Each structure stands twice: as C-alpha cells, then as structure tokens.
C-alpha cells in the first residue's frame, strides 16, 4: 500500500484529490507543519527537502514535489485518464502545472502565507504582501483565459492533473477572499460538484458547499 504524507488544506490537497479520483489504495500520514513535523529526522529521512506532498510507493521508493507526483500518477494509472492524449497536449498540461505550482503558489501565495521569508525590514511587509497578491491575480487571470478557451469547464476539456493544481489555488484564494476571474470561480464551483473533491475536503476538515463556495467552517 502507498503512504501519502500531507497537510490538510495545503497544496497536498490536490494530490489527495488525484489519489481518490483514481480509487487507489493508500494510507495517509498527517504532517503537522506548524508543529515542525517536517523538520524532524523521521520525515527528513523520507524527504530531505522537508516539504510536502510526499508519496511512498508500494515498492518503498519515495516521490516528492507536486508536479512529479501528479505526473507519475497520471502515467502509472492511465485508466484514470488524468492526461489528455498526445504529446502536444500533455506538454501544455505540464506548462500549466509548472505555472500553477512554480509561480502562482511558490511566488505568489508564499508571499502571503510566509512573508517573513522575503522580509529584510519589518516595514517591507505591505510591499511583500502586495507583490504576492499581484502575482496571484496575474496567474489566475491567465488561468481564466485558458479556461475560457476550453470546453466542459475544465482546463483541457475534461478533468486532469492540471485541474487539481488549479483547484487548490482557487481554494486558497476563496479562503483569503481574493478576487478570482469568473472563469476560475466557475471552475472552482464545478470542481466542488465532483464527489471525490467533496470527499477530500470533508476528510481534511472542510465543508464543501458548491451552492455557496466561500462558506467553510
């Protein structure tokens, strides 16, 4: 059985969704980031980078980083159809994944969640947060334009690994009351209608409500 190391409400929620969508057998280990679980020797032995998500596969090999895990799941379980057909479209999925994780998340939201990483002086905090909001807004605008050019409400016409990445960003934006383009808001609402997405949010302690997506206890 695979073991999935995650933190509720984090980027690992996207991988959690993919695992449930595939109906694969796995067990969950919660990593309490505020308590410093990611810095303890046992976790660092699995992932010296001290980051989540982490997936320990059935053969005991360890895979970390959102993009790598999502890509492996799509290739290892082709029956789930988590990638569109053809090298060109798959490269586009990788492009979207890279922008969602590498830019909107790691450059934008990181400035909002942990601005101290970028601070030189305390008075720089508003500037850092402003930069984060600008990066998130620009990134979601690009995702909204892509959604407008696609059929079915998903980034590539049907649910794929890129939608799981965009969803966790939209989830964060919703929780922080950040503006989202209408197409992203529609995508967020569409994702909330998927049974596995609703299941994951409930398991992670949130109450999904597609009818009023900004309401979470």
């Amino acid at each position: 059985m695979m073991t999935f190391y995650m933190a509720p409400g984090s980027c690992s929620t996207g991988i959690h969704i993919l695992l449930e969508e595939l109906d694969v057998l796995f067990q969950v280990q919660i990593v309490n980031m505020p308590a410093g679980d990611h810095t303890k020797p046992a976790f660092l032995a699995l992932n010296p980078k001290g980051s989540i998500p982490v997936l320990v596969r059935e053969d005991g090999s360890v895979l970390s980083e959102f993009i790598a895990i999502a890509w492996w799941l799509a290739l290892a379980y082709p029956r789930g159809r988590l990638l569109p057909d053809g090298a060109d479209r798959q490269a586009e999925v990788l492009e979207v994944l890279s922008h969602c994780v590498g830019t909107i998340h790691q450059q934008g939201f990181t400035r909002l969640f942990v601005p101290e990483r970028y601070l030189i002086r305390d008075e720089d905090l508003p500037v850092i947060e402003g930069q984060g909001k600008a990066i998130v807004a620009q990134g979601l605008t690009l995702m909204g334009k892509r959604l407008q050019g696609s059929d079915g409400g998903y980034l590539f016409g049907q649910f794929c690994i890129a939608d799981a990445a965009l969803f966790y960003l939209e989830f964060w934006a919703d929780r922080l009351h950040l503006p989202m383009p209408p197409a992203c808001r529609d995508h967020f609402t569409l994702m909330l209608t998927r049974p596995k997405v609703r299941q994951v949010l409930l398991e992670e302690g949130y109450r999904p409500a597609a009818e009023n997506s900004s309401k979470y206890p």
Side-chain angles (χ1 to χ4, degrees), residues 49-97:
K49 293 172 286 187
S51 61
I52 55 167
V54 171
L55 186 67
V56 180
R57 293 172 285 191
E58 292 181 350
D59 64 357
S61 60
V62 179
L63 197 59
S64 63
E65 303 294 340
F66 187 103
I67 295 174
I69 295 172
W71 195 258
W72 178 78
L73 287 172
L75 296 181
Y77 299 94
R79 58 177 172 75
R81 298 190 59 79
L82 294 178
L83 282 174
D85 295 329
D88 290 347
R89 294 291 276 173
Q90 290 176 6
E92 290 177 24
V93 170
L94 193 57
E95 176 189 4
V96 170
L97 269 178

Side-chain angles (χ1 to χ4, degrees), residues 14-45:
I15 299 298
H16 193 179
I17 288 169
L18 295 177
L19 287 166
E20 293 290 0
E21 289 279 355
L22 289 170
D23 285 323
V24 296
L25 191 62
F26 67 98
Q27 60 184 350
V28 169
Q29 290 287 335
I30 301 296
V31 180
N32 188 334
M33 305 289 277
D37 285 358
H38 60 299
T39 65
K40 294 179 179 178
F43 185 78
L44 292 175

